[in-house]
């Protein structure tokens, strides 16, 4: 799929950023005569960056890279660098080693310095120091002020790299930090090859906005003397570039040109490194290269993970337990270590990781491997060949090729895993799998706390999942699952790294007054086109979103649906038939494709409407992009379990705890009735009050061209005066439909000619027809057909205690049809008793209400008028306005262009 934005629609956020930054790079290219310029990558790493700043890397004893110095130098020279530097973390060992070998090198290092008042660390690129000064700098980096004053005293030039990427656990960084940075630094890295375009443009515009007056004002405010840090407020800030490469893939492709008049003449008598240091001190620098989105970092992390898979050693349980970090950090490291150590038992998987690493560095797989590969894996080898071939092209082609190949590999491997799972299920199909019910699944949904029982089994027949054999599971799905896990993991990690400071970026952009991220929500749902109430409700919301052009788009996974305005469609990689629940099929989506749509569409929040696969995708995106995620609760699963199973209290509590764990992962939950709001905020579910939002479904505009159905055309022997009940819903047991035979039977004792029309379909359809052979069953109806039935029949009867809202009640009232329902959640928030319908407590009372209604036909017109009046209080505009407000979005004010849709989605 491709996305385009109309000129009158949502601002072209990423396109605008690209245009702005490309213009800046073009201007920089014109500043100096290339003949008088040295090229240098001011920011790159090799294997001596062996103690990472990231906590997980330290816990797992992983270096930042395994790249050898000689290989880095070779790549830098191949990519046009005329001066070499290596800026490892907190040491210059590689530079000293190169000097000892007679290589001309600009000594450099990336020091991690502590900002005491903000409890955070920043990196400082530092150049041209001696061995003795390196020792002092390492001592002074515990305080950024002491570090920078020492560097200025000895004329050691420094650069502030990636100013918006900070190392801190502080969720709310004080923006006054940047006022101090403006005073304390002269040189700023505005082009970092591993950062995304948004951060780069924000940094650039901030640096360019710093005037002498603003710098002096900041200095006075914070009692700082710019001269102590080697900063002259009257001199324009210096901007630089560097690749921040850790793998050798992108080294030298981003960097800086250093201007020195008469360069060619001076090179005959002076070293390039000395000249580079001179130009840096003088501020004669112009960045070059390109900034991607998250693709470069994704490629770098994929290469890194491929090497971790083959090189990781067991960090030890005690190290993990005793190391600094939160419980979640330690659990995450434990899981990652076990995943990669388990992978190392699988030779084919390890071989493929080695091939990934080789392909990313331009080395193609040997031909005999493609001949030997099984049919399922020839596609994978072909993708690696494509990646290796693209390395010989320009960098943009390489990045695009790798990005496309990662997506295609992920999709192929997931299809392969799904095929193997289906094959395994078919092989073992029997009494234990056939007709597997919700009740059985819930009872078996447990994991023993005894590790030997989990991994080895305890020889006893237990009613849980203790017979899981981890080795057997990994053997059966090892290659596709493990490889696709690493592909998804590298994508998640690369984007999470870029956006772990998203709150800071948003606040920074607002204060800067430009480059604010677009504010749009992506709504994920497992059902939109199915025959159920949730689909009907969501379809109504989508129509309203289109009509008023709200900043929300839907996304579904479906094999046949076509994309349209405000609706994305991804194709499934697998499907799950839910036979116990009727016709519903769950489609398993490609999470990488959805992540791409989320990124390119400029979304910054998620809404999920179902507890199926899309709920997991929503939580994946929440972690990946560090964005708020909300859940729209349509179904009362505790009621569903209660109506469809015989689970005991302990087993129902297990379901409740799973739901509590799920809902608590979201930043907010929308509910459709007061009972659910109180339940979620109560002791059983324990969600904070401020995270539970009460909303409602809204009415759809009535089509005035629809004519009422004639009773005589629908019911044999009927006429206009025949009393007729109507129900429209999904025909399933939890809807209370099996109360209907007794209700109708009892009511007929007083209303002898009473008829009932049933619209809908579902798993209990045949059983209900046998229980009510005299009823008129019309099947699933279109909206216009339903409208005709509402208009032409008399009383809507709804015996469900399960529904969270009751959209059909609102539809009935909209068309002037009074409604009868139980006095429970959902209906209680819609029906006004004996005004526009009836609320009753029992089946007998429901039958009495039917008799009461048909015994006084004179009040029907008044009740119909009140029904339409009540429906009018559920208008779309106020409901959607509040919904957007709770999401943190603005409701767009009407414009002269009305309801034109902004987003155009085309199938590829």
């Amino acid at each position: 799929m491709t996305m385009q934005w109309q000129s009158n629609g949502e601002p072209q956020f990423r396109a605008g950023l690209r245009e702005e930054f490309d213009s800046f790079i073009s201007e920089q290219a014109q500043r100096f005569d290339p003949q008088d310029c040295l090229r240098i990558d001011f920011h790159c790493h090799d294997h001596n960056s062996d103690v990472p700043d990231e906590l997980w890397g330290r816990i797992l004893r992983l270096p930042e890279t395994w790249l050898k110095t000689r290989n880095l130098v070779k790549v830098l020279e191949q990519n046009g660098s005329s001066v070499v530097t290596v800026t490892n973390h907190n040491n210059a060992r590689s530079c000293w080693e190169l000097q000892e070998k007679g290589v001309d090198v600009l000594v450099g290092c990336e020091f991690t310095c502590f900002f005491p008042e903000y409890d955070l660390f920043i990196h400082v690129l530092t150049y041209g120091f001696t061995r003795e000064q390196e020792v002092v700098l390492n001592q002074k980096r515990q305080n950024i002020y002491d570090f920078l004053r020492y560097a200025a005293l000895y004329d050691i030039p420094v650069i502030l790299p990636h100013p918006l990427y900070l190392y801190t656990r502080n969720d709310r960084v004080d923006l006054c930090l940047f006022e101090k940075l403006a005073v304390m630094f002269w040189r700023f890295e505005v082009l970092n090859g591993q950062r995304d375009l948004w951060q780069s443009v924000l940094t650039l515009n901030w640096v360019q906005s710093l005037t002498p007056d603003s710098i002096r004002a900041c200095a006075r405010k914070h009692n700082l003397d710019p001269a102590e840090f080697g900063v002259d407020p009257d001199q324009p800030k210096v901007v630089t570039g560097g690749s921040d490469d850790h793998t050798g893939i992108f080294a030298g492709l981003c960097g800086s040109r250093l201007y020195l008049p008469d360069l060619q003449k001076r090179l005959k008598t002076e070293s390039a490194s000395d000249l580079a240091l001179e130009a840096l001190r003088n501020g004669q620098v112009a960045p070059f290269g390109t900034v991607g989105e998250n693709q470069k970092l994704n490629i770098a992390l994929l290469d890194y993970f491929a090497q971790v898979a083959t090189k990781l050693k067991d960090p030890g349980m005690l190290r993990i337990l005793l190391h600094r970090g939160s419980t979640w950090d330690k659990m995450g490291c434990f899981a990652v270590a076990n995943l990669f150590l388990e992978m190392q038992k699988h030779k084919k998987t390890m071989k493929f990781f080695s091939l990934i690493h080789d392909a990313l560095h331009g080395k193609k797989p040997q031909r005999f491997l493609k001949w030997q590969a099984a049919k399922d894996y020839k596609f994978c080898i072909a993708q690696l060949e494509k990646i290796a071939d693209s390395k010989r092209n320009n960098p943009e082609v390489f990045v695009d090729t790798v990005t496309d190949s990662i997506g295609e590999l992920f999709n192929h491997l997931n299809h392969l895993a799904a095929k193997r799972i289906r094959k395994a299920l078919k092989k073992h199909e029997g009494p234990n799998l056939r007709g597997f019910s919700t009740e059985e699944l819930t009872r078996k949904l447990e994991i023993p706390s005894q590790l030997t029982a989990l991994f080895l089994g305890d020889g006893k027949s237990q009613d849980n999942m203790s017979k899981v054999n981890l080795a057997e599971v990994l053997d059966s799905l090892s290659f596709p699952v493990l490889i696709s896990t690493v592909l998804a993991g590298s994508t998640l990690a690369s984007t999470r790294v870029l956006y772990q400071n998203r709150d800071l970026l948003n606040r920074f952009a607002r204060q800067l007054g430009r480059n604010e991220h677009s504010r749009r929500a992506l709504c994920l749902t497992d059902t939109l086109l199915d025959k159920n109430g949730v689909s009907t409700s969501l379809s109504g919301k989508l129509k309203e979103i289109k009509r008023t052009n709200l900043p929300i788009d839907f996304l579904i996974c479906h094999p046949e649906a076509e994309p349209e305005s405000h609706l994305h469609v991804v194709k499934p990689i697998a499907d799950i038939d839910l036979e116990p629940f009727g016709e519903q099929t769950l489609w398993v989506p490609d999470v990488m494709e959805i992540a791409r749509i989320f990124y390119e569409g400029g979304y910054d929040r998620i809404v999920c409407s179902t507890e199926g696969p899309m709920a997991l995708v929503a939580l994946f995106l929440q972690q990946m992009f560090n964005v708020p995620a909300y859940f729209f609760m349509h179904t009362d699963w505790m009621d569903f379990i209660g109506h469809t199973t015989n689970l005991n209290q302990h087993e129902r509590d297990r379901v409740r705890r799973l739901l509590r764990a799920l809902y608590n992962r979201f930043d907010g939950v929308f509910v459709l009735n007061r009972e659910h709001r109180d339940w979620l905020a109560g002791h059983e579910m324990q969600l904070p009050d401020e995270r539970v939002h009460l909303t409602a479904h809204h009415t759809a505009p009535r089509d005035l061209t629809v004519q009422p159905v004639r009773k005589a055309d629908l019911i044999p022997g009927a006429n206009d005066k025949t009393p007729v009940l109507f129900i429209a819903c999904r025909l399933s047991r939890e809807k209370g439909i099996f109360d209907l035979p007794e209700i109708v039977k009892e009511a007929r004792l007083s209303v002898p000619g009473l008829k009932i029309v049933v619209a809908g379909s579902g798993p209990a359809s045949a059983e209900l027809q046998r229980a009510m052979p005299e009823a008129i069953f019309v099947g699933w109806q279109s909206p216009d057909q339903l409208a005709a039935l509402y208009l032409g029949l008399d009383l809507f009867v709804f015996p469900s205690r399960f529904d969270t809202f009751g959209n059909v009640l609102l539809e009935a009232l909209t068309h002037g049809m009074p409604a009868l329902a139980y006095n429970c959640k959902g209906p209680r928030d819609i029906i006004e008793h004996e005004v526009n319908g009836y609320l009753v407590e029992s089946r007998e009372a429901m039958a009495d209400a039917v008799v009461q209604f048909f015994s006084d036909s004179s009040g029907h017109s008044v009740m119909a008028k009140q029904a339409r009046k009540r429906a009018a209080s559920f208008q779309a505009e106020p409901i959607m306005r509040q919904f957007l407000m709770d999401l943190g979005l603005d409701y767009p004010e009407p414009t002269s262009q009305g309801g034109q849709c902004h987003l155009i989605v085309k199938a590829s």
Side-chain angles (χ1 to χ4, degrees), residues 422-632:
R422 284 194 293 267
K423 183 178 179 180
L425 291 176
K426 186 175 181 180
K427 178 181 177 182
H428 294 95
E429 194 174 72
N432 292 331
L433 289 176
R434 192 184 302 277
F436 201 57
S437 69
T438 311
E439 189 168 332
E440 292 170 297
L441 176 63
T442 305
R443 287 195 169 121
K444 292 180 181 293
L445 191 60
E446 186 55 275
I447 299 173
S449 56
Q450 184 184 2
L451 291 178
T452 54
L454 172 62
F455 293 103
L456 304 176
D458 58 3
K460 299 177 182 179
S461 177
Q462 297 186 14
D463 198 20
N464 56 35
M465 296 183 179
S466 61
K467 294 184 179 180
V468 173
N469 186 320
L470 189 59
E472 183 179 333
V473 171
L474 290 172
D475 280 338
S476 63
L477 294 169
S478 60
F479 185 84
V481 170
L482 296 177
I483 298 293
S484 60
T485 298
V486 171
L487 293 175
S490 65
T491 302
L492 184 152
S494 64
T495 309
R496 178 71 187 194
V497 164
L498 291 176
Y499 289 112
Q500 66 182 16
N501 295 327
R502 180 181 282 270
D503 174 69
L504 170 65
L505 298 177
N506 285 327
R507 290 188 294 119
F508 190 89
R510 284 194 294 271
Q511 180 157 309
L512 187 62
R514 58 189 302 181
N515 307 129
E516 288 191 55
H517 198 287
S518 54
R519 300 172 66 225
R520 298 182 64 83
L522 184 64
C523 183
L524 310 178
T525 177
D526 293 293
T527 182
L528 187 70
L529 307 177
D530 305 291
K531 296 179 179 179
N532 59 56
V534 177
S535 290
T536 302
S537 302
L538 293 176
S539 296
K541 279 209 166 14
L542 178 58
K543 288 180 182 177
E544 179 63 18
I545 288 167
K546 291 179 180 180
R547 188 183 72 82
T548 52
N549 212 6
L550 300 182
I552 305 177
D553 298 321
F554 272 70
L555 185 147
I556 61 171
C557 179
H558 199 278
E560 299 172 357
E562 293 296 326
E564 54 191 68
S565 63
H566 287 285
L567 175 64
H568 299 282
V569 179
V570 298
K571 301 303 180 185
I573 58 176
D575 60 84
I576 304 171
D577 271 327
L578 301 178
E579 289 188 9
F581 315 116
E583 308 90 348
Q584 183 74 36
T585 298
L586 284 183
W587 306 103
V588 180
D590 182 343
V591 66
M592 301 276 271
E593 173 67 6
I594 296 176
R596 184 191 65 78
I597 290 171
F598 187 90
Y599 192 87
E600 293 181 359
Y603 301 102
D604 71 335
R605 62 206 70 203
I606 310 155
V607 181
C608 182
S609 296
T610 44
E611 289 90 348
M614 284 299 186
L616 299 179
V617 174
L619 294 178
F620 181 89
L621 295 178
Q622 179 196 47
Q623 293 302 309
M624 181 175 180
F625 292 98
N626 193 20
V627 294
Y630 301 85
F631 194 87
F632 199 130

Side-chain angles (χ1 to χ4, degrees), residues 549-739:
N549 212 6
L550 300 182
I552 305 177
D553 298 321
F554 272 70
L555 185 147
I556 61 171
C557 179
H558 199 278
E560 299 172 357
E562 293 296 326
E564 54 191 68
S565 63
H566 287 285
L567 175 64
H568 299 282
V569 179
V570 298
K571 301 303 180 185
I573 58 176
D575 60 84
I576 304 171
D577 271 327
L578 301 178
E579 289 188 9
F581 315 116
E583 308 90 348
Q584 183 74 36
T585 298
L586 284 183
W587 306 103
V588 180
D590 182 343
V591 66
M592 301 276 271
E593 173 67 6
I594 296 176
R596 184 191 65 78
I597 290 171
F598 187 90
Y599 192 87
E600 293 181 359
Y603 301 102
D604 71 335
R605 62 206 70 203
I606 310 155
V607 181
C608 182
S609 296
T610 44
E611 289 90 348
M614 284 299 186
L616 299 179
V617 174
L619 294 178
F620 181 89
L621 295 178
Q622 179 196 47
Q623 293 302 309
M624 181 175 180
F625 292 98
N626 193 20
V627 294
Y630 301 85
F631 194 87
F632 199 130
M633 186 176 172
H634 288 276
T635 304
D636 186 338
W637 289 107
M638 297 308 299
D639 249 12
F640 179 82
I641 292 292
H643 280 87
T644 60
T645 72
N646 293 314
L647 296 175
N648 60 37
Q649 186 62 47
H650 169 72
E651 291 160 341
R652 289 198 298 271
D653 282 344
R654 184 182 300 163
V655 176
R656 176 178 57 80
R657 292 185 185 105
L658 285 171
L659 290 173
R660 182 173 64 195
L662 173 66
Y663 297 149
N664 267 287
R665 298 303 301 165
F666 288 88
D667 298 273
V669 178
F670 289 89
V671 295
L672 291 163
N673 59 72
R674 290 165 291 177
E675 283 84 349
H676 265 159
R677 180 189 59 192
D678 296 341
W679 177 65
L680 287 175
H683 74 279
E684 288 192 335
M685 299 300 281
Q686 300 176 353
L687 268 70
D689 288 346
E690 64 273 12
R691 283 170 51 193
V692 183
H693 307 288
L694 185 61
T695 186
H697 293 314
H698 53 77
T699 57
R702 181 183 156 194
D703 187 348
L704 298 178
T705 64
V706 175
Q707 297 300 310
V709 66
R710 293 181 68 250
K711 295 178 181 177
D713 295 338
L714 185 65
I715 305 168
N719 56 48
D720 291 345
K721 296 184 178 181
T722 301
V724 183
L725 300 175
F726 178 50
I727 179 172
C729 68
R730 185 170 181 270
L731 302 183
S732 54
R733 185 167 291 276
E734 73 275 5
K735 294 288 189 177
I737 55 176
F738 289 100
D739 286 1

Side-chain angles (χ1 to χ4, degrees), residues 72-123:
L72 172 61
V73 172
K74 180 179 178 182
V75 173
L76 287 170
E77 291 174 346
Q78 287 175 344
N79 287 329
S81 293
S82 47
V83 186
V84 169
T85 188
V86 185
T87 52
N88 288 322
H89 289 297
N90 303 319
N91 75 85
R93 289 196 298 270
S94 296
C95 294
W96 305 132
E97 291 167 3
L98 287 171
Q99 279 190 349
E100 290 169 1
K101 296 176 181 178
V103 178
D104 182 33
V105 58
L106 173 62
V107 174
C109 178
E110 186 172 22
F111 288 99
T112 303
C113 299
F114 185 61
F115 231 122
E117 66 268 41
Y118 299 111
D119 191 27
L120 57 78
F121 295 89
I122 65 170
H123 286 172

Side-chain angles (χ1 to χ4, degrees), residues 208 332 548 629 671 784 880 899:
Q208 291 184 333
T548 52
V671 295
D784 285 349
M880 293 303 292

Side-chain angles (χ1 to χ4, degrees), residues 246-542:
H246 289 68
T247 61
I249 297 176
F250 299 108
L253 295 177
C254 296
S256 301
R257 293 184 181 88
L258 305 177
Y259 175 67
L260 293 124
D262 299 322
L263 173 63
Q264 302 307 318
K265 180 179 178 181
R266 295 185 65 184
L267 282 172
K268 295 176 181 179
T269 57
E270 300 175 73
S271 68
S273 60
D274 287 341
L275 294 172
L277 188 61
E278 176 188 323
L280 181 60
R281 283 177 171 147
N282 294 334
Q284 297 297 300
V285 185
F288 71 85
T290 60
V291 173
E293 296 293 351
N294 66 332
Q295 298 98 323
K296 287 185 178 180
L297 187 56
N298 184 17
I299 293 168
L301 282 180
L302 176 59
D303 186 40
Y304 182 72
F305 286 176
Q307 294 178 80
V308 170
T310 59
K311 299 178 186 292
L312 177 69
K313 305 298 181 185
D314 188 347
M317 179 64 80
L318 285 178
R319 178 183 178 83
I320 293 176
L321 291 175
L322 299 178
H323 204 286
R324 181 173 62 86
S326 69
T327 301
W328 283 109
D329 287 323
K330 295 174 183 181
M331 290 176 62
C333 289
F334 176 78
V336 168
N338 275 271
L339 174 67
F340 282 114
L341 291 172
E342 191 62 40
M343 286 181 188
Q344 291 175 4
K345 299 177 182 179
H346 302 271
K347 293 183 179 179
K348 289 183 180 178
T349 306
M350 288 299 98
K351 179 62 177 176
F352 192 73
F353 280 127
S354 297
L355 294 175
I356 289 176
H357 173 66
D358 290 342
L360 291 174
H361 290 266
K363 183 179 178 181
K364 295 175 68 171
Q366 296 177 343
R367 288 187 178 181
F368 76 87
L369 280 176
K370 190 171 183 178
W371 299 334
Q372 289 181 336
K375 181 180 178 181
D376 286 337
Y377 301 140
K378 290 186 183 296
F379 175 85
C380 301
I381 301 297
Q383 291 299 316
L384 295 181
E385 289 178 335
K386 187 191 301 185
I387 290 172
D389 286 338
S390 69
K391 193 71 170 69
R392 301 180 179 89
N393 295 315
N394 67 62
E396 288 77 14
V397 171
F398 170 71
V399 170
D400 291 342
T401 301
V402 177
T403 302
D404 291 343
S405 292
I406 289 174
E408 292 174 18
L409 274 171
F410 184 80
N411 189 283
H412 174 81
L413 292 169
N414 278 280
H415 274 102
L416 180 58
K419 183 176 75 172
R420 291 185 176 181
I421 291 171
R422 284 194 293 267
K423 183 178 179 180
L425 291 176
K426 186 175 181 180
K427 178 181 177 182
H428 294 95
E429 194 174 72
N432 292 331
L433 289 176
R434 192 184 302 277
F436 201 57
S437 69
T438 311
E439 189 168 332
E440 292 170 297
L441 176 63
T442 305
R443 287 195 169 121
K444 292 180 181 293
L445 191 60
E446 186 55 275
I447 299 173
S449 56
Q450 184 184 2
L451 291 178
T452 54
L454 172 62
F455 293 103
L456 304 176
D458 58 3
K460 299 177 182 179
S461 177
Q462 297 186 14
D463 198 20
N464 56 35
M465 296 183 179
S466 61
K467 294 184 179 180
V468 173
N469 186 320
L470 189 59
E472 183 179 333
V473 171
L474 290 172
D475 280 338
S476 63
L477 294 169
S478 60
F479 185 84
V481 170
L482 296 177
I483 298 293
S484 60
T485 298
V486 171
L487 293 175
S490 65
T491 302
L492 184 152
S494 64
T495 309
R496 178 71 187 194
V497 164
L498 291 176
Y499 289 112
Q500 66 182 16
N501 295 327
R502 180 181 282 270
D503 174 69
L504 170 65
L505 298 177
N506 285 327
R507 290 188 294 119
F508 190 89
R510 284 194 294 271
Q511 180 157 309
L512 187 62
R514 58 189 302 181
N515 307 129
E516 288 191 55
H517 198 287
S518 54
R519 300 172 66 225
R520 298 182 64 83
L522 184 64
C523 183
L524 310 178
T525 177
D526 293 293
T527 182
L528 187 70
L529 307 177
D530 305 291
K531 296 179 179 179
N532 59 56
V534 177
S535 290
T536 302
S537 302
L538 293 176
S539 296
K541 279 209 166 14
L542 178 58

